[in-house]
Amino acid sequence: MLDSDAFAIVGMAGSLRSGSFNRALLQAMAELAPDGISIDTFDLSPVPLYNADLDESVDGGPYPDAVRDLRAAVEQADALLLTTPEYNWGPSGVLKNAIDWLSRPAGASPLNQKPIALAGASKGMSGTGRGQLQLRQNLLATNSYVLQRPVIQIGNAKDHFDEHLRLVDEDLRTRICDQLIALREWSRRHQPMSAPLP
Ligand code: FNR
């Protein structure tokens, strides 16, 4: 049953490949969302590379349709959930590109004061910790409210998903629920300020 009063999260995965652990993680998180929390996933595949000539907020435009859809989805969401691979110690370009489209106009963008949780999975041991740290830095620039704990950083991803990319780690399933509940509480504590800071 659709719960229209649910805390509405929009989730985006920073990997486009079909066998992606981060897409599988986002899917698992959507399925594990506890009562009163809903997660809609937004597919970043159609979002083109950022081009200021197409950016309505900086005298360009019109926005490509996928960018208009992306911005509308984020504006309407109570909070965001970003699952990112770690590429070269940073977040994926796919995710960074989406953030760039969402970041304008500075100080009044859809990301301004938006509560956000991060999660990620990598094949290596680091579990995307370095990528998430860079992502946090990017989201400082957008004045977003990034949840601090619990973190979801899954190293050796193959050990936590089965061959059908289903999450099989019970501890992780519990931590995911904890993170989603924490995001809702975090959001309640960080209601947007009516006037922007100077
Ligand atoms: C990687 N990978 C990787 N892993 C890691 O732990 N730290 C890193 O810095 C990188 N760098 C990196 C760069 C590039 C270009 C690729 C293609 C891969 C491995 C990466 O974590 C692994 O491929 C994940 O499975 C990618 O996420 P998805 O696609 O499974 O969601």
Side-chain angles (χ1 to χ4, degrees):
M1 197 177 69
L2 208 63
D3 180 358
S4 56
D5 294 330
F7 180 73
I9 296 172
V10 166
M12 300 174 209
S15 174
L16 304 183
R17 72 186 188 97
S18 51
S20 159
F21 290 112
N22 287 283
R23 289 172 83 100
L25 174 60
L26 181 58
Q27 184 58 36
M29 293 181 83
E31 287 166 12
L32 288 167
D35 282 352
I37 298 178
S38 69
I39 300 180
D40 277 338
T41 56
F42 187 97
D43 183 8
L44 294 177
S45 314
V47 177
L49 288 176
Y50 180 80
N51 180 347
D53 292 343
L54 304 177
D55 189 341
E56 291 174 16
S57 71
V58 288
D59 298 332
Y63 285 131
D65 288 348
V67 171
R68 193 178 299 282
D69 292 347
L70 172 66
R71 290 174 64 93
V74 171
E75 274 162 12
Q76 286 156 25
D78 292 322
L80 301 185
L81 168 63
L82 307 178
T83 64
T84 184
E86 180 171 287
Y87 284 174
N88 300 309
W89 296 17
S92 68
V94 168
L95 201 50
K96 176 64 165 55
N97 181 58
I99 288 171
D100 292 340
W101 275 117
L102 290 164
S103 67
R104 316 308 288 178
S109 84
L111 291 175
N112 186 45
Q113 302 187 69
K114 186 66 73 176
I116 301 178
L118 308 181
S122 70
K123 289 179 187 165
M125 281 167 55
S126 84
T128 74
R130 294 165 299 201
Q132 289 192 32
L133 200 53
Q134 271 198 20
L135 199 49
R136 281 181 183 277
Q137 189 176 331
N138 301 146
L139 294 166
L140 280 174
T142 59
N143 194 33
S144 306
Y145 297 148
V146 181
L147 179 71
Q148 292 173 7
R149 292 189 183 178
V151 296
I152 308 280
Q153 297 175 355
I154 307 170
N156 301 315
K158 277 185 182 151
D159 296 344
H160 303 275
F161 293 85
D162 69 12
E163 68 274 24
H164 303 294
L165 289 173
R166 285 184 298 237
L167 187 64
V168 290
D169 181 329
E170 276 310 315
D171 289 346
L172 206 45
R173 294 167 77 90
T174 304
R175 194 139 33 98
I176 282 170
C177 286
D178 290 347
Q179 193 199 52
L180 295 175
I181 290 167
L183 178 60
R184 180 172 57 185
E185 180 59 27
W186 178 256
S187 176
R188 285 178 179 155
R189 293 183 190 191
H190 291 88
Q191 287 302 307
M193 288 180 252
S194 48
L197 292 173

